[in-house]
Amino acid sequence: MFLDVKMNAEAARAEVADVPRQPGTGRYAGTRRRTLPADTAWAEFLASARTRVETRDAHDILFHEDDPAEHIYEVVSGQVMLYRLLADGRRQVVDIVSAGDLIGLSMTGLYDCSAETLTGSDVRVLERRDVERSRDLQTHVNRCLMTRIESLHSHAVLLGRKSAQERVASFLMRFVPKRGVVGCVGPAVGGDEQTVVLRMTRQEIADYLGLTIETVSRVLSDMKRRGVISIEKNDRIRMASVCRVCKLTGIH
Amino acid sequence: MFLDVKMNAEAARAEVADVPRQPGTGRYAGTRRRTLPADTAWAEFLASARTRVETRDAHDILFHEDDPAEHIYEVVSGQVMLYRLLADGRRQVVDIVSAGDLIGLSMTGLYDCSAETLTGSDVRVLERRDVERSRDLQTHVNRCLMTRIESLHSHAVLLGRKSAQERVASFLMRFVPKRGVVGCVGPAVGGDEQTVVLRMTRQEIADYLGLTIETVSRVLSDMKRRGVISIEKNDRIRMASVCRVCKLTGIH
DNA sequence: CGCGGTTTTGACCGGCTTCAAAGGGAGTGG
DNA sequence: CCACTCCCTTTGAAGCCGGTCAAAACCGCG
């Protein structure tokens, strides 16, 4: 069912662009996604506690929905998707996380969704007890959780109110750093093209966007026909104009 | 546009059922929603810090998307919906929260969505600084955030993969305590009927479920025609059999 | 009773899904 | 080197679910 994406963890790390705060713009101009300033207590914890970093292949399951939530994972590199299944097999990818994000936190003691790597990934495995007991670490955990919530809010809008084309355009914009979010830097002078690499199969994209693979494929073909994007090797998508794609997201 | 729901804060409080842990079942059988054990640090904070409880009418805006996130609100009673708007006016209600939940937390310094009361509500207003600075309070905050995340995951599945009927059935089940969630107690002996009071207009329900008012209305009418529910006074819905409604949610 | 609002119902339409088949790319083996 | 296979992806045709537009019904209220 899933394409075996050939990629190692190092390549994945290079792909995930750093999104630092934008200084000196007066109004806060950081992106909504992933703005985690260095947290000393967290850094100290990682240096001292018994944690291990595991390297996982693409399409490796980190944990299953409803299993006891023994571990918390910090994504060090790569991308991980979180999904839930309905009884009849329908799948919804509820979130996609990358470096710096924490997953596996749970209120109930059971994982509320499954986690599967999209790319080769390095994940740090933490003991649930260690993280939950320490007051000092909660501030860092707190930031991670708030980031996830804002991401989930955006996703709810996408799933509930956007057309197929708007969903696909929004999806593509996810992979363009510093664009289409709060603090968008606008098109660079003398060109606004960008190539993004989709490390997901059409099935995974469809399950993330709440569509079918056929619809995802059709929308991409249509965008290609209209000259908005060009597709190289199925997983490399070149946008002639990022702004033009952004205008299709339904946000503006 | 919105029906002025006649309800005071006290009635709202009575409506929100407590969902305690289920002891003695071996496997943890608590619900996924709202399982916040008493947090002494939090309780002490509320007793000491300069916080105030405000009583708000139904359909009162607590804060707007993109406004500076100065305050954090704890819902003391009533229900509050969080929503986002697209530029052309499409609205998606991303979450509905009730007593014990915290809203208004933000990574970016700006609220990422708007908050509006659905019912008359009591809300405790907290200073962002006070909450964020204290390490001790973060444990409580984190529990609230994790609960929200699990709720948002469920909502993503609903919006992305469920049919109109499954969405409406899932929505109705939200208001039946201890049923349709982990730890469902099953039908009571000698009858499984339940009346729920919807304190939302059709428009609000539709915006929550990612549908139109017409579709919500049609689905409810259809359920009524088939004898699954009966509707009294537009906002009171009686389910002849909770189990039967639950089977329409798509979860089983 | 009439008025303004929401909700329901009807008719029609269109976007997305479904089902089916063809196309394409990577790996394998003769 | 090329044929073959296995997936995944793309494309086509048809159907349906939910959206859109419009009108009627309902409801509380002055």
Side-chain angles (χ1 to χ4, degrees):
Chain A
M1 189 177 184
F2 300 122
L3 175 68
D4 190 18
V5 176
K6 294 290 183 284
M7 211 190 77
N8 58 33
E10 193 181 358
R13 195 178 306 120
E15 199 64 23
V16 178
D18 229 5
V19 186
R21 281 167 182 263
Q22 305 271 316
T25 50
R27 179 170 173 145
Y28 178 68
T31 173
R32 278 188 175 156
R33 297 192 298 125
R34 306 194 46 249
T35 328
L36 308 178
D39 187 309
T40 50
W42 184 254
E44 282 169 20
F45 168 67
L46 296 184
S48 65
R50 51 198 165 90
T51 71
R52 62 181 187 279
V53 174
E54 296 181 356
T55 298
R56 301 295 196 102
D57 290 334
H59 300 286
D60 210 16
I61 309 268
L62 296 181
F63 51 80
H64 276 106
E65 183 177 348
D66 289 336
D67 278 355
E70 290 170 1
H71 298 110
I72 292 166
Y73 298 84
E74 183 191 32
V75 181
V76 174
S77 72
Q79 292 183 56
V80 178
M81 69 173 171
L82 306 178
Y83 62 85
R84 280 207 196 169
L85 295 172
L86 290 176
D88 61 2
R90 279 174 287 178
R91 182 174 74 162
Q92 178 62 47
V93 175
V94 296
D95 207 359
I96 298 174
V97 301
S98 46
D101 290 320
L102 290 177
I103 55 177
L105 292 152
S106 164
M107 269 306 291
T108 62
L110 305 179
Y111 294 120
D112 81 313
C113 58
S114 304
E116 182 179 324
T117 55
L118 286 171
T119 66
S121 304
D122 296 326
V123 293
R124 183 174 283 117
V125 186
L126 315 168
E127 293 300 318
R128 181 178 151 94
R129 288 182 301 271
D130 294 340
V131 176
E132 291 189 348
R133 275 184 192 158
S134 165
R135 288 258 143 105
D136 289 343
L137 302 180
Q138 298 300 316
T139 303
H140 177 78
V141 173
N142 191 282
R143 291 206 186 92
C144 291
L145 293 177
M146 290 196 295
T147 306
R148 296 268 52 75
I149 286 177
E150 299 194 357
S151 163
L152 289 167
H153 285 175
S154 302
H155 201 212
V157 176
L158 180 145
L159 293 172
R161 290 299 179 209
K162 289 190 182 179
S163 69
Q165 176 173 262
E166 289 169 339
R167 295 182 201 205
V168 172
S170 301
F171 177 72
L172 293 177
M173 289 302 296
R174 266 186 70 104
F175 301 101
V176 185
K178 302 190 198 181
R179 298 294 298 279
V181 287
V182 179
C184 178
V185 295
V189 284
D192 191 30
E193 70 172 50
Q194 176 92 26
T195 301
V196 298
V197 182
L198 305 181
R199 290 209 181 56
M200 301 167 71
T201 65
R202 293 288 184 273
Q203 184 65 63
E204 287 160 353
I205 296 171
D207 286 348
Y208 178 60
L209 298 180
L211 300 169
T212 60
I213 46 175
E214 294 94 331
T215 300
V216 171
S217 181
R218 263 184 263 269
V219 170
L220 286 172
S221 296
D222 195 55
M223 285 182 171
K224 187 168 66 179
R225 210 169 298 124
R226 282 158 37 205
V228 178
I229 61 171
S230 51
I231 302 178
E232 323 159 5
K233 231 171 70 45
N234 247 354
D235 66 340
R236 295 180 62 83
I237 295 191
R238 204 174 70 81
M239 311 182 209
S241 161
V242 174
C243 264
R244 192 159 166 215
V245 175
C246 195
K247 290 202 181 73
L248 299 176
T249 60
I251 296 172
H252 312 289
Chain B
M1 187 176 186
F2 300 121
L3 176 69
D4 190 17
V5 176
K6 296 287 184 285
M7 209 188 79
N8 58 33
E10 193 182 358
R13 195 179 304 119
E15 198 66 20
V16 179
D18 230 7
V19 186
R21 282 168 182 261
Q22 303 273 316
T25 51
R27 178 170 177 146
Y28 178 70
T31 175
R32 277 186 175 155
R33 297 194 296 125
R34 307 195 44 251
T35 326
L36 308 178
D39 188 309
T40 50
W42 184 254
E44 282 168 20
F45 168 67
L46 296 184
S48 66
R50 48 198 166 92
T51 70
R52 62 182 187 279
V53 174
E54 297 180 355
T55 297
R56 302 294 197 104
D57 289 334
H59 301 285
D60 210 15
I61 309 268
L62 297 181
F63 51 80
H64 276 106
E65 183 177 350
D66 290 333
D67 278 356
E70 290 170 2
H71 298 110
I72 291 166
Y73 297 83
E74 183 191 32
V75 181
V76 175
S77 72
Q79 292 183 57
V80 177
M81 68 172 171
L82 306 178
Y83 63 85
R84 280 207 196 170
L85 296 171
L86 289 175
D88 60 2
R90 280 174 287 180
R91 181 173 76 161
Q92 178 62 48
V93 175
V94 296
D95 207 358
I96 297 174
V97 300
S98 47
D101 290 319
L102 290 176
I103 55 178
L105 292 151
S106 163
M107 269 305 291
T108 61
L110 305 179
Y111 294 119
D112 81 313
C113 57
S114 304
E116 182 179 324
T117 55
L118 286 171
T119 66
S121 304
D122 296 326
V123 293
R124 184 174 281 116
V125 187
L126 316 168
E127 294 299 318
R128 181 177 150 94
R129 289 182 302 271
D130 294 339
V131 176
E132 290 188 350
R133 276 184 192 158
S134 165
R135 289 253 145 109
D136 289 342
L137 301 181
Q138 299 299 317
T139 303
H140 175 78
V141 173
N142 281 343
R143 289 206 188 93
C144 292
L145 293 177
M146 291 194 292
T147 306
R148 298 268 49 77
I149 286 177
E150 299 195 357
S151 163
L152 289 166
H153 285 174
S154 301
H155 202 212
V157 175
L158 180 145
L159 294 172
R161 290 297 179 212
K162 289 191 182 178
S163 69
Q165 178 175 260
E166 289 169 341
R167 295 181 200 204
V168 172
S170 301
F171 177 72
L172 293 177
M173 288 301 297
R174 265 187 70 105
F175 302 100
V176 185
K178 302 191 197 180
R179 298 295 297 278
V181 290
V182 180
C184 176
V185 294
V189 285
D192 190 31
E193 69 172 51
Q194 177 92 25
T195 301
V196 299
V197 182
L198 305 183
R199 291 208 182 56
M200 302 168 70
T201 65
R202 293 288 185 271
Q203 185 65 60
E204 288 160 352
I205 296 171
D207 286 348
Y208 179 62
L209 298 180
L211 300 169
T212 59
I213 46 175
E214 293 94 333
T215 299
V216 171
S217 180
R218 262 185 266 270
V219 170
L220 286 173
S221 296
D222 195 54
M223 285 181 170
K224 187 169 63 178
R225 210 167 300 124
R226 283 159 36 207
V228 178
I229 60 171
S230 50
I231 302 178
E232 324 159 4
K233 228 170 74 48
N234 248 355
D235 66 339
R236 297 180 61 83
I237 295 191
R238 206 174 68 82
M239 311 183 210
S241 160
V242 174
C243 263
R244 192 160 166 215
V245 175
C246 195
K247 289 203 181 73
L248 299 176
T249 60
I251 296 171
H252 312 289

